[in-house]
Amino acid sequence: MSAQTIQPVEPPAAIKEFAYDHPDRDVAAFKRAVANKLIYAVGKDPVAASQDDWLHATAYAVRDQLVERWMTTTRASYQQDLKRVYYMSMEFLIGRTFTNALLAAGLYETVRDALADFGVEMEALAEREPDAALGNGGLGRLAACFLDSMATLGVPGFGYGIRYEYGMFRQKIVEGQQVETPDYWLTRGNPWEFPRPEVNYRVRFGGYVQKREGPRESKDSGSGAADWIDTHDVLAVAYDTIIPGFGTQATNTLRLWSARATEEIDLSAFNRGNYMAAVESKNHSENVSRVLYPDDSTPSGRELRLHQEYFFVSASVQDLLRRYLRTHNSFDQLPDKVSIHLNDTHPVLAVPELMRLLIDEHGLSWDTAWAHTQKVFSYTNHTLMHEALETWPVEMLSRILPRHLQIIYDMNARFLAKVTQAQGAAHDVELLRRLSLVDESGERRVRMAYVAVLASHSVNGVSGLHSELMKQSIFADFAKLFPERFNNKTNGVTPRRWLAQANPPLASLLDRRIGKGWRRDLTQLATLRPMAEQPAFLRAFRHAKRENKLRLANWIEQNMHILVDTDAMFDVQVKRIHEYKRQLLNVLHVIRRYQRIVDTIESGKPCDMVPRVVIFAGKAASAYQVAKLVIRLINDVAFTINNDERIGKLLKVLFLPNYSVSLAEVIMPAADLSEQISTAGTEASGTGNMKFALNGALTIGTLDGANVEMKESVGDDNIFIFGNTTPQVADIRSGGYQPHDIYQSNPELKRVLDAIRSGAFSPSEPGRYQGIFDALVNWGDHYLLLADYASYVETQDKVDALYRDADAWTRKTILNVAGMGEFSSDRTIAQYAHEIWHTTPVSIPR
């Protein structure tokens, strides 16, 4: 069948004449809109309305302002038959929507004034909104920044993910320890989402595969079509959220899937009085979308993760094929109209799922389906650590996704046959073993990253260093076979969220001095460079920083009942708790600082050390016991220092619980020093480093991830670099690293580590941190904390020296902000759109 495009159906005359009220944008009209929503949508008398009721009424009114843009964009995309990008991610850490929507719609002042007339404070309402619990770390926040930039640049696209009912968890700190509780972010409803119960797909698990015989099987179908039968099924139901672009009428859609049972209740069991059995199937089905990253320390937890990953990619691929077939009657144009982007390995099951649907459901041959698949998919890698590259046991896949395992085996066999054919006489069995999609050593496991690399026409890293190391290490053999597939796309952050919204004092200063254009063109920040020499601008910049420090100090006082000195340096490390991110190295420096202060005071000498408030925040995965122990150590150290009356304002240590996007928006603008101290060669990129620098913090860090490019952008003199480089790390490890020798040869470090081991910070349980001591001193110090310790401490002393000179410090912070133009997610997405997805922006009629 030749490819044809089906012209969009003309709407009937009655639809053409369909009339509705366009929402006006002045204060009076918005007051009326909020009043109507409060009464008719929320169903509350204003006399009895709570803050949450006002928030929902206002959110509905703001949402109305976006809906028309949304529908116009969707129609334009169909009419222009544009190639769409489908961005698949296990996480979308979008944070709060209220203020972001106001800024995107240009309604901030209008809404503030309208609510003020009702005696309602808009800022108080915004604080009532819960963060959407749809992610955890940088992976999810990057996805959210990318959706914002795609909409702003008019890239036609969808985000696809899971509508987690309880998020990952809400972190509480109880007696210094992380305690995980459900994150009830949907308790009061979500006014920003549109339930789409009519958009649902059957997602299948288990069963067995039966080779199909008869006329539906194509002659050239290779392995042949098959029937997947006797499955147990779950329904995926769509929920849509509008993603508005900034300074444009264009919008995009975040479509999240919620799991529903195919049958709500077993009525016969219920009528027999067996009430638990009556809903057992429903509960089992709906567990799929309850929690992000269920604890995978148990077999059932690992199986649930596999169910989750397949659940959302199956629904998404079915959905995007349905959308494609609305305007096309064959699959010939699929690669020209569809681009599927895999954000890390979690969505890689989309590859065999697309193959299954094309071959089994739509009758394409294997060769045709595979050709389409390789043109449609692209993949971003986010880690260089082999242990973090997702693999699934063959035995588990054979039970849960037997057809997909069969397709993966067929992919693997064809691929290895081609490699063998290309080798000719020089048959390299070891190379085939390394390239195989199935790891045959020990328990047989499918290497999902390898599936992604083989199926994708583009494979990118997320910083210059990471992309090079990716080709040299984890994908070295593939990079030699397919060098044209590998490229770099350095990450970026959206300036709308991370400067305009998070930092009103600095955003206002920038608007006055360089105009508002930086929101869409972050390179305009470069015009700040000469202002770093202007005393008046330095004072204004410092004033903005002080406002932000006061805001964070107030948050700390209100939520943790601790007073902090805003004249002190705010030294901040906030990120996922993981050994390679080396929060523990920071703790070692904190203890060394504490000991120096105590020594000076006890000697009777005046202590003139720079006062610091050291702030940690971040979650440890529920099954990651080492990371959770580090959190406990941080809190034990904090308790000891904060309750030592000798220390006073010279040092405070805080662990802020339940780190989130909205909390980051308070912390990052207040930071003076940004700790980006991962072992060189372990951090793919980082985006927190960019957010801190954009908000006027100086970075202390290793030459890892995007720190390398940031150093080039801000200048060598405006960043504090320490520690071993990636090649040096490799040399240390290959040379027989002996951390115990460093421990013995550095008295100051030995004293710090001995304090941890002896129970100085855990007197009720002296051996609590023996495992941490052993990991660093006796068991190899895998992430080279002791190897970098001396350099880190020396560099921290340089930080102190600079902070004493307020003007010199501020000049460097201004130069950091000025150098952040290249780290906008708009730049990143423009590169993806042009070089990987090959998309055309949607044209919105005026």
Side-chain angles (χ1 to χ4, degrees), residues 36 107 206 238 444 477 527 544 546 576 581 584 601 612 712 723 821 831 833 837:
N36 285 336
L107 288 168
R444 289 188 303 160
D477 293 314
T527 59
R546 183 167 183 80
R576 181 165 54 95
K581 294 179 183 289
L584 192 51
I601 292 171
R612 288 205 195 193
E712 294 168 359
Q831 290 178 334
W837 302 329

Side-chain angles (χ1 to χ4, degrees), residues 321-440:
L321 288 182
R322 174 197 61 81
R323 189 174 297 107
Y324 169 83
L325 290 172
R326 284 184 63 178
T327 53
H328 302 86
N329 65 0
S330 84
F331 287 98
D332 294 355
Q333 289 186 282
L334 186 69
D336 299 321
K337 301 301 176 184
V338 169
S339 183
I340 303 175
H341 196 84
L342 305 172
N343 190 30
D344 216 359
T345 52
H346 308 118
V348 171
L349 285 165
V351 171
E353 175 68 356
L354 179 61
M355 288 291 290
R356 182 188 74 83
L357 291 169
L358 293 179
I359 294 170
D360 296 351
E361 304 295 332
H362 296 284
L364 272 64
S365 71
W366 176 282
D367 290 342
T368 302
W370 182 242
H372 287 340
T373 295
Q374 286 193 300
K375 293 174 183 173
V376 161
F377 279 103
S378 50
Y379 162 60
T380 296
N381 171 268
H382 287 279
T383 183
L384 294 169
M385 292 185 285
H386 277 282
E387 64 271 21
L389 291 175
E390 196 166 55
T391 61
W392 289 111
V394 166
E395 182 277 330
M396 187 185 294
L397 284 171
S398 69
R399 285 187 291 106
I400 297 173
L401 299 171
R403 177 57 175 147
H404 298 76
L405 179 61
Q406 189 180 79
I407 290 170
I408 289 169
Y409 269 126
D410 287 341
M411 288 166 51
N412 196 38
R414 289 162 178 262
F415 167 53
L416 295 181
K418 285 187 176 180
V419 174
T420 301
Q421 185 179 13
Q423 287 181 322
H427 188 56
D428 187 344
V429 176
E430 183 62 21
L431 175 64
L432 296 180
R433 186 190 66 77
R434 294 198 308 269
L435 286 170
S436 177
L437 305 185
V438 181
D439 183 356
E440 302 283 354

Side-chain angles (χ1 to χ4, degrees), residues 44-95:
K44 279 296 185 75
D45 186 318
V47 174
S50 67
Q51 288 282 85
D52 291 330
D53 296 328
W54 282 104
L55 173 62
H56 278 236
T58 309
Y60 286 133
V62 173
R63 191 180 74 170
D64 285 353
Q65 297 279 342
L66 302 176
V67 168
E68 192 170 15
R69 293 165 54 175
W70 191 32
M71 293 181 176
T72 300
T73 303
T74 302
R75 287 180 182 173
S77 295
Y78 274 115
Q79 289 165 356
Q80 295 162 34
D81 195 25
L82 297 173
K83 184 177 188 179
R84 283 185 171 90
V85 177
Y86 297 102
Y87 194 88
M88 294 190 182
S89 180
M90 200 73 175
E91 303 181 38
F92 287 96
L93 200 57
I94 60 176

